[in-house]
C-alpha cells in the first residue's frame, strides 16, 4: 500500500511539473497579447423577461475562437511555439503537425465588427435601437474582450394579413397560412419570416406548383399606426413573377427504366410494357413491371407533388435492388393554357450487382480460455424472382481449443452453422400502396447450428422464423416475428458432463427446454441518422413471448410432439444519449435493462434466452459472460469451462468520452457498470445429491436480486483506441475493475490498473463501437 501511495505522489509531481513547463507566456512576441476569449453582459428592459436565448445567440457571433485549453494549459499552442525554434527536433515538429495550433492574438480580434454583427442580429430579432459596446481587459501578455449590450423592448405583431388579389394561387397560400408559426403578440423575427416563406413554398409544391420559388414571396412591415413598438405584417407576391410559376402542373406521362446504366447506348429499349398508364422500358425483363408499379405513388393525371416524388424515391431505394434512383420531371409547352401546366416524369433505376460472395476470416477468443480461427461465407442474390427479393445464404465454421485452464487444457470444439434468408419487399398479403413512407418487408429465415465439444457433449439446434420489418419514418423501425421457432438438442454427453449437470441443476434445467416457439417484437427509435443533431438519442426495446400458443395446443401439457417446450416472457430496453461538440468529440451515456420471467411449465429461462454480462460490448473490465449472477463466481465452483454465468435480470450502464487522435485513429475513456441476477426460485428436489443441493442454495443465496444490488455491480474503467476507416471500426479497449462483485464484501473496491497485478487488466478486441 505504501508503494502505491508513493507511486501516486510521484505521478502527481511529474504531472504538475509537466503542466508548469507548458506555459506559453514566454513565447508571446513583444507588442502582442494572447486572446483568451470574450464575455457578454446584457442589460435589458424589465418587461423583456428571460434573455438566455438572446445571450446564447449573440455568443455564436464571437470570433475568432481562442486557443484551446485543457486543465488551464494550451498544449496545441505550446507545441506550435516549440516547433518555431531553429532546431525544433523531430518530436516537436511531429507534435506541431498533429496537435499544434496557430496563436490567436488580440490583434486578430475586431470588436467593432462584432458589435455591428450583434446589432444586426438584434434588429433581425426585433430588438431595434439596442446598443452594443466593448472594452479590453488585458494583463501579462493576455487579453480578453467584454461586450456590454443594452437590450431595448422588441417590436411585437399586432396584425398579420395576406395582401391578395384574384390569382388562384392566393387561395392555396391562404390555406397554407393556417399552419403558420407567425402569431399575434410575437416579436419581430426575420428568421421566422424566412422559414415561413420556405414552408409555404413546400406546401405549394405539394399542390402542383412545380415552378414556384420562396423568393417570389415578400413580407412588408408597417409601424406607422402605432407609438408603442407594435407593427402590422403583410404578405404578398412580388411583382413580375413569371406566369408559369403561378400555375399548378399535372403529370401526363411516366417512363420507368428498371435496368438503367449510364453506358446504355439507347435510352429507350424497344421492348415496353404499360401498367396503369406507366410505361416500363427494358430490353430484357430485369424487374417485373407489375411488382415495381405499386412503389410509384404518382400516376398520369396526378398533380405534381414534391413530397410524393420524394417518398417514391425512398420506396424504390429501400427495395435493396438499386444503387441509384433518379426521378426527373420535364416541363412541357404550356402556351395553350393559362391555368394548368404539364410535366412528364422519367424514373431511372441503376441496379446493384445482382450476385455477391463475401468471405470473412475470424479469430475467436473466449473468457474460458477457448481460442481459434473461424470462417464465414455469405452469398447474396438480389432481385431473385425479378420482384426485388433478396436471397442470402451464410455458412460458418470455427475450431476452438482451450489453450489454458488447468486440468481442462486441451479441450477443443468444432462449431458450424448454415442460415438461409429470403427477404420479400412487401407485406404479405397487403399491397405496397397501403404504406407511404417505406414498404414493409417480409422476412423468412431458416437455420441450423451445431457445437461439438470434445469429451463433453454435442449441441445442435434448428431455427426458423417468419416476420415483417418496416421503417415507419427515418427514425422509427419495427420488426415483428409472429412465428419464431427454435429447437435445441443436447446429445453425446459424456459421463464427466453428465456429472456436472447432476451437480448443477440450474444448468441442467436450462438445457431441458428443448423447444422454443413464440412471438418477438422490436421497436427502435434512432436519431443518429440525422448528422445535424448535436444531442441525438437512441432507444431500442424488445419483447419476446414463448409457449402460450403451444400451451393451448397441448392442452396445458408440458410437452408437444414429444418435446418439452419453454414458457416465458422477456423484455429489454436500451437507451443511449449522445452529446456531440467540436470535431468528432462526443460523450455517450447508455442505460440497459432486461427481465425475463419463466412461468407455466418452465422454472428457468432457456439457456440461449438468458442474460449475460461482461465482455467487449458490455462491462469491459470483466471477461465475456463472466459476471454474476449477483456475487456468484463459477471459477470457485469449478464449472467455468462448462457454462457461461447468466441470469434472468440484467442492469447495465456505460459512459464513454470519444475524441479524435490523428487521421483514422480515435480515442476513448470509459466507465462501465452492470451485472445479472436471479429473480425466481430454483427448484430443489429432495432426490438431489448433497452437492447439487449445496450448489443450488449457494447460487440462489449469491445470485438473488435484492436491496444491495448496487454493491453487487461489476464496475470498471478503461481506455480505448479505435481505427475508424469509413465506418469500418477496429476497436481495442484496455479496462480494469473498480468494483469486483464476487469478492468478499469490504474487499470489492480496487484501484484500477494497479491492484491485482496482470489479472486486473482485461484487453478487448472487437469490430464496431460498443454502443
Amino acid at each position: 500500500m505504501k508503494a502505491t501511495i508513493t507511486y501516486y505522489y510521484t505521478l502527481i509531481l511529474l504531472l504538475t511539473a509537466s503542466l508548469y513547463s507548458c506555459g506559453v507566456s514566454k513565447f508571446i512576441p513583444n507588442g502582442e497579447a494572447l486572446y483568451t476569449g470574450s464575455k457578454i453582459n446584457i442589460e435589458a428592459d424589465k418587461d423583456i423577461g428571460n434573455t438566455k436565448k438572446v445571450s446564447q445567440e449573440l455568443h455564436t457571433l464571437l470570433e475568432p475562437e481562442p486557443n484551446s485549453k485543457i486543465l488551464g494549459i494550451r498544449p496545441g499552442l505550446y507545441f506550435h511555439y516549440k516547433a518555431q525554434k531553429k532546431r525544433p527536433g523531430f518530436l516537436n515538429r511531429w507534435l506541431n503537425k498533429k496537435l499544434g495550433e496557430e496563436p490567436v492574438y488580440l490583434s486578430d480580434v475586431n470588436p467593432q465588427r462584432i458589435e455591428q454583427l450583434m446589432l444586426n442580429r438584434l434588429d433581425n430579432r426585433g430588438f431595434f435601437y439596442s446598443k452594443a459596446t466593448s472594452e479590453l481587459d488585458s494583463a501579462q501578455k493576455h487579453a480578453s474582450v467584454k461586450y456590454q449590450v443594452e437590450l431595448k423592448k422588441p417590436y411585437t405583431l399586432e396584425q398579420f394579413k395576406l395582401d391578395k388579389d384574384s390569382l388562384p394561387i392566393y387561395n392555396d397560400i391562404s390555406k397554407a397560412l393556417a399552419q403558420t408559426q407567425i402569431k399575434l403578440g410575437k416579436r419581430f423575427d426575420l428568421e421566422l419570416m424566412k422559414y415561413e416563406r420556405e414552408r409555404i413554398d413546400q406546401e405549394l409544391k405539394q399542390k402542383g406548383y412545380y415552378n414556384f420559388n420562396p423568393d417570389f414571396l415578400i413580407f412588408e412591415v408597417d409601424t406607422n399606426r402605432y407609438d408603442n413598438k407594435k407593427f402590422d405584417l403583410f404578405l404578398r407576391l412580388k411583382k413580375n413573377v413569371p406566369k408559369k410559376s403561378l400555375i399548378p402542373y399535372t403529370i401526363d406521362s411516366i417512363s420507368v427504366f428498371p435496368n438503367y446504366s449510364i453506358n446504355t447506348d439507347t435510352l429507350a429499349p424497344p421492348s415496353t410494357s404499360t401498367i396503369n398508364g406507366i410505361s416500363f422500358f427494358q430490353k430484357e425483363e430485369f424487374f417485373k413491371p407489375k411488382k415495381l408499379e405499386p412503389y410509384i405513388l404518382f400516376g398520369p393525371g396526378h398533380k405534381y407533388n414534391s413530397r410524393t416524388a420524394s417518398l417514391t424515391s425512398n420506396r424504390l431505394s429501400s427495395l435493396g435492388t438499386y444503387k441509384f434512383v433518379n426521378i426527373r420531371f420535364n416541363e412541357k409547352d404550356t402556351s395553350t393554357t393559362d391555368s394548368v401546366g404539364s410535366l412528364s416524369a422519367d424514373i431511372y433505376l441503376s441496379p446493384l450487382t445482382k450476385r455477391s460472395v463475401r468471405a470473412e476470416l475470424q479469430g475467436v477468443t473466449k473468457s474460458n480460455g477457448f481460442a481459434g480461427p473461424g470462417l464465414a461465407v455469405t452469398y447474396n442474390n438480389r432481385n431473385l424472382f425479378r420482384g426485388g427479393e433478396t436471397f442470402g445464404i451464410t455458412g460458418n465454421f470455427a475450431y476452438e481449443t482451450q489453450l489454458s485452464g488447468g486440468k481442462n487444457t486441451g479441450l477443443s470444439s468444432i462449431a458450424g452453422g448454415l442460415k438461409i434468408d429470403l427477404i420479400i419487399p412487401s407485406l404479405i398479403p397487403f399491397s405496397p400502396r397501403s404504406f407511404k413512407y417505406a414498404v414493409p418487408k417480409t422476412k423468412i429465415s431458416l437455420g441450423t447450428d451445431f457445437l461439438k465439444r470434445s469429451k463433453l457433449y454435442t449441441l445442435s439446434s434448428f431455427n426458423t422464423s417468419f416476420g415483417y420489418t418496416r421503417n415507419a419514418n427515418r427514425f422509427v423501425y419495427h420488426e415483428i416475428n409472429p412465428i419464431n421457432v427454435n429447437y435445441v438438442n443436447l446429445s453425446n454427453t459424456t459421463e464427466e458432463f453428465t456429472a456436472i449437470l447432476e451437480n448443477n441443476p440450474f444448468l441442467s434445467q436450462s438445457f431441458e427446454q428443448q423447444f422454443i416457439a413464440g412471438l418477438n417484437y422490436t421497436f427502435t427509435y434512432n436519431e443518429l441518422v440525422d448528422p445535424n443533431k448535436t444531442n441525438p438519442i437512441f432507444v431500442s426495446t424488445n419483447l419476446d413471448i414463448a409457449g402460450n400458443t403451444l400451451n393451448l395446443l397441448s392442452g396445458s401439457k408440458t410437452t408437444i410432439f414429444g418435446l418439452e417446450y419453454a414458457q416465458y416472457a422477456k423484455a429489454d430496453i436500451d437507451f443511449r444519449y449522445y452529446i456531440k461538440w467540436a470535431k468528432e468529440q462526443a460523450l455517450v451515456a447508455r442505460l440497459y435493462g432486461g427481465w425475463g420471467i419463466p412461468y407455466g411449465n418452465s422454472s428457468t429461462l432457456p439457456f440461449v434466452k438468458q442474460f449475460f454480462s461482461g465482455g467487449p460490448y458490455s462491462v469491459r473490465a470483466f471477461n465475456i459472460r463472466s459476471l454474476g449472477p449477483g456475487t456468484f463466481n463459477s471459477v470457485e465452483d469449478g464449472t467455468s469451462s462448462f457454462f457461461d454465468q447468466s441470469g434472468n435480470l440484467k442492469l447495465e450502464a456505460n459512459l464513454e468520452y470519444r475524441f479524435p487522435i490523428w487521421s483514422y485513429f480515435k480515442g476513448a475513456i470509459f466507465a462501465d457498470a452492470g451485472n445479472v441476477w436471479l429473480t425466481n426460485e430454483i427448484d430443489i428436489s429432495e432426490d438431489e445429491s448433497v452437492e447439487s443441493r449445496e450448489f443450488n442454495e449457494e447460487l440462489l443465496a449469491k445470485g438473488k436480486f435484492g436491496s444491495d444490488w448496487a454493491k453487487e455491480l461489476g464496475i470498471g474503467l478503461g481506455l480505448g483506441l479505435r481505427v475508424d476507416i469509413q465506418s469500418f471500426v477496429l476497436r481495442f479497449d484496455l479496462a480494469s475493475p473498480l468494483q469486483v462483485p464476487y469478492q468478499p464484501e469490504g474487499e470489492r473496491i480496487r484501484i484500477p490498473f494497479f491492484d491485482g497485478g496482470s489479472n486486473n487488466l482485461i484487453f478487448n478486441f472487437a469490430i464496431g463501437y460498443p454502443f
Side-chain angles (χ1 to χ4, degrees):
M1 187 65 181
K2 289 183 179 179
T4 302
I5 295 174
T6 303
Y7 176 87
Y8 273 106
Y9 277 127
T10 304
L11 186 64
I12 292 171
L13 289 173
L14 289 174
L15 181 60
T16 304
S18 175
L19 293 177
Y20 180 78
S21 66
C22 286
V24 296
S25 297
K26 58 186 177 183
F27 299 110
I28 300 174
N30 293 329
E32 291 283 8
L34 187 67
Y35 174 61
T36 58
S38 299
K39 294 182 180 180
I40 300 176
N41 182 48
I42 296 179
E43 292 183 0
D45 290 348
K46 294 181 180 179
D47 53 353
I48 290 181
N50 193 347
T51 60
K52 183 178 179 180
K53 289 186 177 179
V54 177
S55 177
Q56 290 174 343
E57 190 167 357
L58 293 181
H59 272 86
T60 64
L61 303 176
L62 299 179
E63 58 180 26
E65 288 282 340
N67 292 108
S68 59
K69 187 166 57 174
I70 302 175
L71 299 176
I73 63 172
R74 296 179 171 83
L77 185 57
Y78 176 78
F79 296 141
H80 169 81
Y81 281 133
K82 294 290 286 185
Q84 309 310 309
K85 297 167 61 177
K86 289 185 178 180
R87 295 181 179 178
F90 169 77
L91 180 61
N92 284 329
R93 288 198 304 269
W94 185 84
L95 288 172
N96 179 48
K97 182 179 180 181
K98 304 306 177 186
L99 303 173
E101 296 179 0
E102 292 281 344
V104 180
Y105 296 122
L106 182 62
S107 58
D108 298 318
V109 184
N110 188 342
Q112 289 72 32
R113 179 176 178 275
I114 302 299
E115 291 171 16
Q116 193 59 44
L117 289 174
M118 287 182 177
L119 292 176
N120 184 61
R121 182 63 59 88
L122 292 173
D123 285 348
N124 291 342
R125 296 303 191 192
F127 298 98
F128 296 103
Y129 309 113
S130 295
K131 297 180 181 179
T133 58
S134 61
E135 63 175 327
L136 301 180
D137 184 8
S138 60
Q140 296 181 353
K141 293 190 175 182
H142 292 74
S144 62
V145 182
K146 293 181 180 179
Y147 293 95
Q148 186 74 19
V149 175
E150 186 180 337
L151 208 59
K152 298 297 184 180
K153 180 182 176 181
Y155 279 71
T156 55
L157 180 62
E158 184 70 16
Q159 178 182 244
F160 180 29
K161 183 179 180 182
L162 176 63
D163 192 1
K164 60 182 181 178
D165 56 24
S166 60
L167 288 174
I169 192 174
Y170 273 113
N171 293 328
D172 290 317
I173 295 175
S174 180
K175 292 177 182 178
L177 285 175
Q179 303 297 324
T180 184
Q181 293 187 24
I182 300 177
K183 305 295 184 181
L184 301 183
K186 277 196 171 185
R187 59 180 167 84
F188 178 91
D189 193 331
L190 185 61
E191 290 300 318
L192 180 57
M193 295 178 194
K194 291 179 179 178
Y195 166 80
E196 189 65 15
R197 292 198 311 173
E198 297 285 347
R199 191 189 66 80
I200 293 173
D201 174 63
Q202 291 300 317
E203 291 282 338
L204 293 176
K205 281 187 167 60
Q206 293 179 38
K207 296 181 178 181
Y209 293 91
Y210 175 73
N211 280 314
F212 195 79
N213 189 299
D215 290 336
F216 297 152
L217 292 168
I218 185 172
F219 283 99
E220 294 180 340
V221 177
D222 182 10
T223 61
N224 293 326
R225 295 176 54 197
Y226 309 103
D227 296 327
N228 54 349
K229 292 194 173 183
K230 295 184 180 295
F231 69 96
D232 293 335
L233 186 64
F234 300 91
L235 175 64
R236 65 173 178 82
L237 289 170
K238 290 182 179 180
K239 296 180 180 179
N240 302 320
V241 175
K243 184 177 180 180
K244 65 179 184 178
S245 300
L246 301 176
I247 59 174
Y249 282 73
T250 58
I251 302 167
D252 65 356
S253 65
I254 301 173
S255 300
V256 182
F257 304 88
N259 194 16
Y260 176 74
S261 172
I262 297 176
N263 300 322
T264 304
D265 295 331
T266 304
L267 187 60
S271 177
T272 65
S273 59
T274 302
I275 298 179
N276 292 333
I278 301 176
S279 299
F280 295 83
F281 297 85
Q282 46 188 336
K283 289 181 180 180
E284 297 179 357
E285 189 179 71
F286 174 78
F287 205 115
K288 294 178 181 179
K290 67 178 181 179
K291 296 284 189 179
L292 193 58
E293 184 270 337
Y295 286 84
I296 303 171
L297 294 176
F298 53 86
H302 291 187
K303 278 187 178 182
Y304 167 79
N305 187 319
S306 60
R307 176 166 174 76
T308 300
S310 177
L311 288 174
T312 297
S313 180
N314 289 340
R315 290 158 62 89
L316 292 170
S317 297
S318 68
L319 281 169
T321 303
Y322 292 108
K323 179 168 51 176
F324 299 113
V325 175
N326 185 10
I327 302 178
R328 299 178 189 171
F329 291 95
N330 307 297
E331 186 178 356
K332 293 190 174 183
D333 183 17
T334 59
S335 60
T336 57
T337 177
D338 59 357
S339 60
V340 179
S342 181
L343 297 173
S344 65
D346 295 327
I347 303 177
Y348 302 100
L349 305 174
S350 301
L352 290 160
T353 303
K354 185 173 182 179
R355 298 177 181 85
S356 65
V357 177
R358 183 184 68 198
E360 182 179 347
L361 185 63
Q362 303 168 332
V364 179
T365 178
K366 295 183 178 179
S367 60
N368 54 13
F370 276 86
L375 177 67
V377 179
T378 301
Y379 166 80
N380 279 317
N381 187 323
R382 302 179 181 91
N383 199 31
L384 178 64
F385 304 120
R386 302 192 304 280
E389 304 86 0
T390 299
F391 177 74
I393 301 177
T394 300
N396 61 80
F397 178 84
Y399 172 79
E400 303 170 0
T401 185
Q402 195 164 30
L403 301 178
S404 61
K407 64 179 182 179
N408 296 311
T409 301
L411 289 178
S412 64
S413 68
I414 298 175
L418 184 68
K419 185 179 181 182
I420 301 174
D421 291 323
L422 177 62
I423 300 175
I424 304 169
S426 62
L427 185 64
I428 298 175
F430 300 98
S431 167
R433 293 190 184 278
S434 305
F435 306 91
K436 293 298 182 183
Y437 179 78
V439 177
K441 296 181 179 181
T442 300
K443 183 177 181 180
I444 304 171
S445 296
L446 187 67
T448 182
D449 295 281
F450 75 92
L451 171 64
K452 180 178 176 60
R453 185 165 290 184
S454 66
K455 304 178 184 180
L456 297 174
Y457 60 82
T458 299
L459 190 68
S460 56
S461 66
F462 169 83
N463 55 81
T464 184
S465 65
F466 175 89
Y468 309 102
T469 65
R470 185 197 175 201
N471 289 98
N473 54 52
R474 63 185 301 209
F475 301 120
V476 176
Y477 171 81
H478 300 273
E479 179 175 352
I480 184 169
N481 292 298
I483 299 176
N484 190 19
V485 179
N486 193 359
Y487 168 67
V488 180
N489 182 36
L490 179 67
S491 61
N492 300 327
T493 56
T494 64
E495 293 183 0
E496 182 181 4
F497 187 68
T498 301
I500 291 294
L501 291 181
E502 290 176 352
N503 293 328
N504 188 337
F506 181 78
L507 178 62
S508 178
Q509 292 169 16
S510 298
F511 280 111
E512 286 174 0
Q513 305 291 339
Q514 297 177 331
F515 195 61
I516 306 170
L519 172 149
N520 56 56
Y521 168 72
T522 298
F523 168 84
T524 301
Y525 178 79
N526 181 15
E527 293 183 344
L528 295 172
V529 296
D530 187 349
N532 296 319
K533 281 188 173 291
T534 56
N535 301 117
I537 65 172
F538 172 93
V539 181
S540 181
T541 182
N542 298 279
L543 177 64
D544 186 358
I545 301 175
N548 292 344
T549 303
L550 295 181
N551 186 257
L552 293 174
L553 294 176
S554 66
S556 299
K557 295 181 180 179
T558 60
T559 61
I560 189 168
F561 310 126
L563 301 173
E564 184 174 350
Y565 62 88
Q567 238 181 321
Y568 65 85
K570 177 184 174 185
D572 65 72
I573 184 169
D574 186 344
F575 175 82
R576 307 170 194 175
Y577 182 70
Y578 296 74
I579 303 175
K580 299 180 180 179
W581 72 94
K583 184 180 179 182
E584 299 182 75
Q585 295 193 67
L587 183 66
V588 188
R590 172 180 177 262
L591 293 174
Y592 177 90
W595 191 16
I597 304 174
Y599 57 86
N601 62 319
S602 295
S603 58
T604 63
L605 292 180
F607 187 71
V608 295
K609 296 295 182 177
Q610 293 174 11
F611 293 107
F612 305 90
S613 190
Y617 299 94
S618 180
V619 185
R620 285 162 281 185
F622 296 85
N623 284 318
I624 301 172
R625 300 186 171 194
S626 65
L627 273 175
T631 61
F632 180 79
N633 185 11
S634 64
V635 175
E636 297 176 357
D637 185 72
T639 61
S640 60
S641 297
F642 303 100
F643 82 111
D644 299 316
Q645 296 166 222
S646 59
N648 68 306
L649 172 67
K650 179 177 180 178
L651 297 175
E652 212 163 80
N654 312 83
L655 187 66
E656 181 167 293
Y657 167 54
R658 299 171 184 171
F659 54 91
I661 297 177
W662 171 66
S663 186
Y664 299 118
F665 293 92
K666 320 294 179 185
I669 302 172
F670 58 83
D672 304 319
N675 206 338
V676 294
W677 291 269
L678 302 174
T679 63
N680 55 296
E681 299 294 332
I682 300 175
D683 291 338
I684 302 177
S685 172
E686 294 182 357
D687 298 331
E688 293 178 8
S689 64
V690 175
E691 294 83 355
S692 175
R693 293 174 62 86
E694 289 178 350
F695 179 89
N696 265 335
E697 290 170 356
E698 179 187 6
L699 182 62
L700 187 60
K702 293 184 176 181
K704 196 71 178 290
F705 183 79
S707 58
D708 290 335
W709 63 271
K711 298 178 181 179
E712 299 173 357
L713 290 172
I715 304 176
L717 306 177
L719 305 170
L721 175 67
R722 291 90 165 88
V723 183
D724 189 342
I725 305 175
Q726 296 181 347
S727 298
F728 176 77
V729 179
L730 294 176
R731 177 163 56 90
F732 307 89
D733 288 330
L734 184 65
S736 182
L738 173 64
Q739 178 169 287
V740 183
Y742 47 77
Q743 293 295 330
E745 192 169 357
E747 300 178 16
R748 295 174 183 172
I749 302 299
R750 295 182 178 180
I751 301 176
F753 299 103
F754 296 103
D755 283 356
S758 60
N759 293 330
N760 205 36
L761 298 176
I762 302 296
F763 175 74
N764 294 280
F765 168 73
I767 296 176
Y769 287 100
F771 43 83

